[in-house]
Amino acid sequence: MTNFHTHTTYCDGVLSAEEMVQAAISRGLTALGFSGHSHEPSGYGMNPQATIDYMHEVTLLKEKYKGRIDIYLGIEQEYYTDRPPPPKGLDYVIGAAHILKIGEEFISVDYGVAGQLRTVEQYFNGDFYAMAEAYFETVAMLAERDFDIVAHFDLVTKYNLNGRLFDESHPRYVTAAITAMDELLKRHRLFEINTRAMYSQGKPEPYPSVFLLKELAKRGGEVILSSDSHDAESLCYKFREMEALVKSCGLRVVQQPM
């Protein structure tokens, strides 16, 4: 049991880094990777000083808990980050897209149902598929970046429980998602199976959805299990079920991103 997508009070998590380590040990994890959010133009994520402090503390925790659990230092790097952390010292990087750039504005797709509805009405004339297309265009641009793991590939579906906002089988949505996947696979094979929305929103499927996981398998992609944990209770959430899902989709699980 390992998790390489973990947040703390340095960004939007609810526990300190050491509290997350202790929670991971108590749950029997053999490895824990931290992945604080990089800074981006709207002010979300860790500011430069917090990034330095975060990297320093996780490095100290590696040594403090050596022999009890393996600790890894990562970052969740936003495509539109304006202050990327120095790669020296990082064990891995997760490539992520939460933000759309619309004109000179930076808009998150991860601000709840009301936030998504407001974004679609204000910027996309009420067309959810246009927003999804813009989102996957940004995801596809991640292929330009150097990183190790593709984060929550279809994050735009986070609040789409039971298709209440849009139809994920619609040709425009499917085409946008598959196009982005093909672009990423030119450089990046490793996608996370992320159970965050299953834990926080009650979604029945992880990111990527089962349909997209099967498409990933056809294209030779690989996966790593991720709980994208912001608290102790979510560590390795539903990983046993995800192991069965991986097998049913014909994918291979990578145990570590390195």
Side-chain angles (χ1 to χ4, degrees):
M1 298 290 279
T2 66
N3 181 59
F4 291 91
H5 194 154
T6 310
H7 296 285
T8 70
T9 49
Y10 281 109
C11 50
D12 57 348
V14 300
L15 297 177
S16 70
E18 186 158 17
E19 287 172 329
M20 288 300 283
V21 171
Q22 293 168 348
I25 291 171
S26 72
R27 285 161 173 72
L29 274 70
T30 59
L32 182 69
F34 288 99
S35 56
H37 287 288
S38 68
H39 190 267
E40 49 85 7
S42 69
Y44 186 74
M46 298 184 292
N47 64 39
Q49 185 58 53
T51 302
I52 292 169
D53 295 343
Y54 158 78
M55 295 177 70
H56 178 67
E57 182 175 0
V58 174
T59 300
L60 293 178
L61 291 173
K62 283 187 181 190
E63 189 61 31
K64 181 174 180 177
Y65 288 91
K66 190 174 182 179
R68 298 179 66 189
I69 188 171
D70 294 327
I71 303 295
Y72 294 88
L73 172 59
I75 201 88
E76 184 174 1
Q77 187 101 311
E78 185 69 27
Y79 176 77
Y80 283 116
T81 186
D82 55 343
R83 295 169 186 167
K88 185 177 180 181
L90 290 176
D91 295 314
Y92 64 100
V93 176
I94 298 175
H98 301 79
I99 308 296
L100 306 180
K101 186 177 183 183
I102 304 173
E104 296 304 312
E105 295 186 69
F106 294 92
I107 309 297
S108 175
V109 301
D110 192 14
Y111 280 163
V113 174
Q116 278 203 355
L117 287 168
R118 186 167 54 249
T119 295
V120 168
E121 290 300 323
Q122 184 172 351
Y123 298 100
F124 298 100
N125 296 315
D127 185 349
F128 264 95
Y129 300 108
M131 184 188 71
E133 288 164 345
Y135 166 76
F136 281 116
E137 286 172 7
T138 305
V139 171
M141 291 190 296
L142 282 168
E144 305 165 3
R145 303 286 194 256
D146 291 325
F147 60 89
D148 303 288
I149 306 170
V150 178
H152 38 60
F153 175 72
D154 48 350
L155 177 69
V156 72
T157 67
K158 181 174 182 177
Y159 305 106
N160 194 36
L161 188 64
N162 299 319
R164 62 185 171 185
L165 298 176
F166 58 93
D167 179 5
E168 294 174 38
S169 66
H170 190 285
R172 285 176 63 192
Y173 177 84
V174 171
T175 298
I178 297 301
T179 299
M181 181 181 290
D182 287 340
E183 189 63 27
L184 284 170
L185 284 168
K186 293 176 182 178
R187 289 190 62 193
H188 304 287
R189 291 174 55 82
L190 185 56
F191 287 56
E192 64 174 11
I193 290 183
N194 182 315
T195 60
R196 170 69 180 169
M198 300 178 76
Y199 172 77
S200 67
Q201 304 296 320
K203 282 192 69 178
E205 295 183 344
Y207 312 116
S209 66
V210 173
F211 168 75
L212 291 173
L213 286 173
K214 290 178 179 178
E215 292 298 318
L216 183 64
K218 291 178 187 176
R219 289 161 169 78
E222 297 175 334
V223 294
I224 185 168
L225 300 184
S226 158
S227 54
D228 194 350
S229 291
H230 293 62
D231 56 30
E233 290 73 22
S234 61
L235 281 167
C236 298
Y237 184 72
K238 289 192 177 291
F239 273 18
R240 295 303 181 201
E241 292 93 326
M242 293 305 102
E243 288 174 351
L245 176 62
V246 165
K247 291 177 182 178
S248 72
C249 291
L251 286 159
R252 186 175 83 87
V253 174
V254 175
Q255 292 301 319
Q256 293 184 357
M258 286 60 71

